[in-house]
Amino acid sequence: MNKTSGSKNSSTKNNGGRKSSGRTRGVLIGSGVVAAAVLLGLASYSATKPDDRDTPGSVLEVTASPGDGAEAAPETGVFPELEKLARRIEGDPLAQGKADAPVVMVEYADFKCGFCGKFARDTEPELVKKYVEDGTLRIEWRNYPILSDESDAAARAAWAAGQQGRFWQFHAAAYAKDAKQKGFGEEQLKALARQAGVQDLDRFAADTGSEAAKTSVRKDKEEAYALRATATPSFLINGRPISGAQPDQVFVQAVESAKKAAAKKPAGGKGTAEEGAAEKGAEGSR
């Protein structure tokens, strides 16, 4: 996202963050997340500072005031409260990689975002090949449709494709070069689903318009709102924030650093696959 589009959406998202603060208590781990989010933009900017503020590495805007629990490890820029946002739910169709992988990258993105597409085409496949396939990295997608109504439609369609086990194939089709220029109208979304190998298109259409799809997308958006994120794509790698479609090496270094830090942690720490399953069960009981 460029500087102009970031500014355009800033007010809307900040308002959304305030309105949804009560509703997101079940999504966020605790009040420390908001405090940590205060430093999210600064940490991201200082760790991956772009040469120009109009480049895809735009800083995340945060509006809350600092508080206790927001301290980051000085050598890594990692915020423990942000690390807890990894859900680690076994069988999550919007995630790839082992639920107990030592490193989790949470990605907040919009299918209409050009820089998100650049990351999906140029960087993510290499991360999958290098780290997901060997069990080091897990990637968890969060729908963050903020650019247009079509962004929201594409997000719900991607979720629907995931219900048939084809989320990542839909993700690749929607982020293919020039795909967003065709728009994400109803017929185009069906075409993308067909391209992704979705078998039951009637179910896909029903799922896209379902309350379950809307709830899932809203939950992801509220999580990003609470972090005051105003740039897409935005990432958390074991609690370390990165903003924008940065060069490959930025992500490689972040994953390597997180991997080394995870190896030093005692077994049975927070953020495990078991905790993710417990959280999922708690959500179902609410």
Side-chain angles (χ1 to χ4, degrees):
M1 176 183 293
N2 60 28
K3 182 178 178 181
T4 302
S5 59
S7 300
K8 179 180 179 181
N9 288 292
S10 174
S11 176
T12 301
K13 283 176 286 188
N14 287 335
N15 288 338
R18 287 191 288 270
K19 291 178 181 178
S20 65
S21 59
R23 294 195 302 273
T24 55
R25 288 178 184 175
V27 177
L28 300 179
I29 302 301
S31 59
V33 171
V34 176
V38 177
L39 302 178
L40 181 58
L42 176 59
S44 179
Y45 187 65
S46 61
T48 59
K49 184 177 180 181
D51 294 330
D52 188 302
R53 287 298 296 273
D54 290 332
T55 65
S58 57
V59 65
L60 302 188
E61 180 179 332
V62 289
T63 59
S65 298
D68 293 336
E71 292 186 0
E75 72 281 4
T76 62
V78 171
F79 296 83
E81 292 297 328
L82 298 181
E83 186 174 2
K84 295 174 187 176
L85 290 176
R87 295 171 187 170
R88 294 183 177 274
I89 298 172
E90 191 74 50
D92 182 353
L94 274 64
Q96 57 180 320
K98 299 192 304 181
D100 61 352
V103 183
V104 179
M105 180 175 76
V106 180
E107 176 184 358
Y108 302 89
D110 185 320
F111 283 105
K112 291 285 285 184
C113 166
F115 291 131
C116 298
K118 176 178 174 56
F119 174 80
R121 292 188 302 271
D122 299 345
T123 303
E124 196 162 37
E126 292 304 312
L127 293 177
V128 170
K129 182 177 180 180
K130 185 177 179 67
Y131 295 113
V132 174
E133 292 180 2
D134 76 356
T136 297
L137 178 66
R138 174 178 174 84
I139 300 175
E140 295 187 356
W141 172 269
R142 303 287 190 268
N143 277 305
Y144 193 24
I146 55 176
L147 296 179
S148 70
D149 289 340
E150 283 196 348
S151 297
D152 189 76
R156 289 184 284 107
W159 180 89
Q163 302 314 292
Q164 297 187 49
R166 308 302 288 179
F167 169 79
W168 291 103
Q169 292 81 0
F170 185 95
H171 171 279
Y175 276 138
K177 194 171 183 179
D178 300 328
K180 76 185 183 84
Q181 275 71 27
K182 298 178 181 178
F184 291 127
E186 183 177 349
E187 291 305 313
Q188 179 61 13
L189 290 174
K190 285 184 179 179
L192 291 173
R194 192 177 297 110
Q195 182 181 340
V198 174
Q199 294 297 308
D200 190 338
L201 292 178
D202 289 336
R203 177 189 171 189
F204 167 79
D207 284 344
T208 297
S210 69
E211 284 302 315
K214 294 174 184 176
T215 297
S216 177
V217 172
R218 182 171 61 248
K219 176 182 177 180
D220 288 354
K221 287 180 70 174
E222 288 177 348
E223 184 174 294
Y225 283 158
L227 293 174
R228 309 301 198 261
T230 64
T232 54
S234 292
F235 308 87
L236 299 175
I237 298 181
N238 277 18
R240 175 184 176 181
I242 296 176
S243 176
Q246 298 290 335
D248 294 4
Q249 193 59 28
V250 170
F251 292 94
V252 169
Q253 290 175 351
V255 171
E256 290 288 349
S257 176
K259 179 182 177 181
K260 291 178 182 178
K264 298 177 182 178
K265 290 183 179 180
K270 293 186 177 181
T272 63
E274 289 78 7
E275 279 196 334
E279 174 66 15
K280 184 178 181 181
E283 289 172 4
S285 65
R286 281 195 284 269

